[in-house]
Amino acid sequence: MASNVDRDYLDKTLQQFESYPYPDIPIEDPLNKDVEQLYKSSLVTARYRRDKKIITDLKNRAILDVACGTGATTLRLAWANPGAKIVGVDISPESIKIAEQRLKHHGFDEAEFQVLAIADLDQLNQKFDLINASDVLYLLPDLALTLRQLAQVLQSDGVLRGNLHSYYQRFNYYRAQTLFQRMGLMEDNPEETELGIAREFYAALRDGVNLKATTWSSGRGEIDNDQWILMNHLFQNDKGYTLPDLFEAFEQSDLTLVDMVDWQKWDWRKLFKEPDNLPAYLAMGLENADREEQLCFYELVQPDKRLLDFWCSHPLPSKKDFSEYWLEQSPENIVVHLHPCVKNFAPFRQAILDQGKLMPLNLSHCFPFIGQDSWLDRTLLTAFYAPLLDSSQALESLVCRYLKARPCYPGDLTPVKPKEAQDLIMSMIAEQEEWGLIMIEVQD
Ligand SMILES: C[S@@+](CC[C@H](N)C(=O)[O-])C[C@H]1O[C@@H](n2cnc3c(N)ncnc32)[C@H](O)[C@@H]1O
């Protein structure tokens, strides 16, 4: 049961989203073109990040989109997790109505929706393998309490994806919100009048003035989109967080970080001109720091992401370092899987199967989320990826195939030795497993 303070919060948020349901995207928009969003919405990705479990069948899996809004995130979850049961809840009846229509329009008639607050999730009488809480946690008054409420409906091996507004990245918007609060624009639900006043205010400011330059016209030209202003300058209950705030809330809710959702981009090494040539105190300090400390360092140096987007779960038994573990296993016990979102991404399939093409392919053109360029020559690409498009493969069979495709070195035509081919394939797997394109299974 919500307290009075919570009620006040809920009412303000509810009013805002009842009058302007979010996101304002046409129902017909398929939203499934963005392989990065699908990849991040996939239970397969989340579970593999959590404990290296490879999920191949989603039939008996249940996925909850908490605060689903008008269902854009729910539709992505449905596309990304075919066969799984999809449930969406939100406090805004208007948003739920649109979400339901959206999912039906795209053929997901089975998706279930309910008007429900996070505090009342136990009413669903169900636990979920994946919970998505996107663009909502920063609106609630007590983060640790909200996480506990979500954890109650999370399966023991399930994963919760959440995100928070970054205090450092959005600092200027918080200044704008404070100003508009002082001007009285946020006492009631901000609507057309308040939007008009905000627009007039910015129009009257000189262009170079800091607040205008950082929140209104910086690089985007003049902004004239109601929802954008409401979700930034006039956002009720919006609060900024830092990673230490998040880690403290995890402690209070007995949850643990699985990883950042765009983990490939949270790499402190990429912040330095010469990461292999750092002053000793810095290199040792960062190398030896735990993951949380490295992330906090990154956040302070480069707060470039609007969202602190994370996966978390119930505490895990201590994790072995998988990147070392699998390399120590006998190669005949290793099976290689292609992530289903990668496998089903049509432009990638076409690039692999198009035998006529000889130019190398940059994987990051297909999968920008890997965060760096990776050029692969066609022989390697075809020998390695083409069989994986059909099914998972034993490491040994990938090595055999590569040897057939490239029996000798092009320079002096000396034969490629099986061990050399195996080392090459294994180093490629290691790299692409870290980026998330490939998954490794070690069989007993
Ligand atoms: C910014 S929208 C995000 C919608 C959707 N998750 C997305 O990312 O597109 C926030 C949504 O959270 C809902 N919401 C806010 N507080 C909530 C609560 N306590 N319980 C359930 N829904 C809530 C609002 O009604 C609104 O639809």
Side-chain angles (χ1 to χ4, degrees):
M1 199 37 104
S3 71
N4 286 345
V5 182
D6 296 349
R7 253 302 25 113
D8 212 41
Y9 258 86
L10 271 185
D11 284 348
K12 280 197 157 174
T13 299
L14 176 58
Q15 278 186 41
Q16 185 155 31
F17 288 105
E18 274 295 271
S19 34
Y20 293 89
Y22 181 91
D24 181 16
I25 298 177
I27 282 172
E28 314 72 61
D29 192 324
L31 296 170
N32 64 338
K33 300 281 185 282
D34 188 344
V35 66
E36 177 162 357
Q37 292 302 335
L38 296 188
Y39 181 85
K40 292 176 176 177
S41 305
S42 157
L43 172 62
V44 176
T45 315
R47 271 310 294 273
Y48 190 72
R49 288 316 291 172
R50 179 183 185 266
D51 51 19
K52 302 293 170 186
K53 165 104 182 151
I54 299 176
I55 295 193
T56 48
D57 187 1
L58 290 159
K59 240 184 234 124
N60 294 315
R61 305 286 177 169
I63 296 178
L64 174 65
D65 195 15
V66 158
C68 62
T70 61
T73 43
T74 330
L75 182 58
R76 286 201 189 97
L77 287 165
W79 287 126
N81 299 286
K85 172 178 176 176
I86 305 285
V87 179
V89 300
D90 198 287
I91 42 164
S92 152
E94 194 52 34
S95 303
I96 284 287
K97 202 166 86 193
I98 302 170
E100 210 158 10
Q101 288 167 0
R102 188 188 300 281
L103 273 279
K104 282 222 163 72
H105 177 86
H106 293 281
F108 296 103
D109 296 353
E110 312 281 286
E112 295 171 15
F113 289 94
Q114 235 186 88
V115 176
L116 199 67
I118 292 178
D120 300 324
L121 283 176
D122 55 348
Q123 290 179 16
L124 292 173
N125 288 321
Q126 195 182 348
K127 296 211 173 193
F128 295 88
D129 298 284
L130 177 66
I131 300 179
N132 183 61
S134 183
D135 272 297
V136 65
L137 299 178
Y138 52 77
L139 298 175
L140 289 142
D142 184 338
L143 176 60
L145 173 66
T146 307
L147 290 175
R148 281 199 294 276
Q149 289 162 344
L150 291 165
Q152 275 170 11
V153 290
L154 185 66
Q155 289 283 15
S156 57
D157 58 0
V159 183
L160 161 63
R161 178 186 177 184
N163 48 46
L164 293 167
H165 267 161
S166 157
Y167 170 76
Y168 296 124
Q169 197 271 350
R170 278 175 70 78
F171 180 70
N172 296 315
Y173 290 110
Y174 295 122
R175 287 164 53 213
Q177 288 170 15
T178 306
L179 182 74
F180 289 135
Q181 271 156 13
R182 293 173 82 104
M183 286 165 67
L185 299 193
M186 294 168 77
E187 265 162 37
D188 296 320
N189 191 35
E191 298 203 9
E192 270 175 36
T193 310
E194 289 78 8
L195 283 162
I197 296 174
R199 280 200 177 90
E200 272 172 18
F201 164 76
Y202 275 109
L205 279 183
R206 282 180 195 278
D207 284 344
V209 168
N210 183 280
L211 189 71
K212 184 169 181 178
T214 54
T215 64
W216 196 255
S217 40
S218 60
R220 292 166 172 262
E222 286 293 314
I223 289 150
D224 198 11
N225 173 320
D226 286 354
Q227 189 149 72
W228 195 80
I229 300 170
L230 286 165
M231 293 292 99
N232 290 292
H233 309 77
L234 297 174
F235 203 171
Q236 299 282 25
N237 297 329
D238 181 17
K239 186 167 168 231
Y241 285 86
T242 63
L243 283 176
D245 297 332
L246 175 63
F247 297 139
E248 196 184 318
F250 282 157
E251 262 191 49
Q252 292 168 8
S253 50
D254 205 18
L255 286 169
T256 189
L257 178 74
V258 167
D259 213 340
M260 303 310 283
V261 169
D262 44 2
W263 76 91
Q264 305 95 332
K265 294 179 186 155
W266 285 85
D267 182 355
W268 61 265
R269 287 176 194 80
K270 290 187 187 152
L271 300 172
F272 292 99
K273 290 185 210 155
E274 293 181 59
D276 295 329
N277 192 20
L278 295 181
Y281 74 93
L282 199 55
M284 277 176 52
L286 283 166
E287 280 308 343
N288 295 335
D290 65 19
R291 179 72 176 141
E292 291 188 4
E293 198 50 49
Q294 290 174 346
L295 291 170
C296 293
F297 174 88
Y298 189 103
E299 176 187 42
L300 285 166
V301 178
Q302 180 81 328
D304 56 354
K305 300 161 184 66
R306 174 179 74 90
L307 291 171
L308 305 174
D309 200 357
F310 59 86
W311 287 295
C312 63
S313 72
H314 297 293
L316 279 159
S318 65
K319 265 206 246 181
K320 45 187 175 244
D321 183 344
F322 190 76
S323 59
E324 283 177 13
Y325 166 75
W326 80 270
L327 285 170
E328 289 158 4
Q329 307 308 305
S330 166
E332 59 268 23
N333 292 343
I334 292 169
V335 178
V336 183
H337 300 252
L338 196 53
H339 190 292
C341 290
V342 174
K343 193 192 266 191
N344 297 327
F345 186 49
F348 182 62
R349 290 186 76 89
Q350 202 176 332
I352 302 294
L353 298 173
D354 189 344
Q355 302 285 346
K357 288 220 173 101
L358 293 171
M359 298 293 284
L361 179 83
N362 187 348
L363 284 178
S364 77
H365 289 171
C366 289
F367 308 111
F369 58 85
I370 68 174
Q372 59 217 305
D373 283 343
S374 170
W375 290 94
L376 287 186
D377 82 68
R378 286 280 160 177
T379 313
L380 188 54
L381 201 65
T382 314
F384 183 75
Y385 273 109
L388 287 170
L389 289 178
D390 286 336
S391 61
S392 347
Q393 300 287 324
L395 173 66
E396 285 180 317
S397 98
L398 289 171
V399 174
C400 281
R401 207 178 147 115
Y402 177 71
L403 273 170
K404 274 194 196 148
R406 170 71 61 78
C408 48
Y409 290 103
D412 58 7
L413 299 181
T414 52
V416 176
K417 297 189 181 109
K419 178 75 174 79
E420 290 165 344
Q422 181 175 307
D423 289 349
L424 181 96
I425 294 288
M426 282 177 82
S427 72
M428 188 169 117
I429 292 173
E431 193 176 60
Q432 289 171 32
E433 194 263 349
E434 177 46 33
W435 297 340
L437 305 179
I438 296 291
M439 299 181 292
I440 301 167
E441 183 185 357
V442 178
Q443 294 187 329
D444 297 329

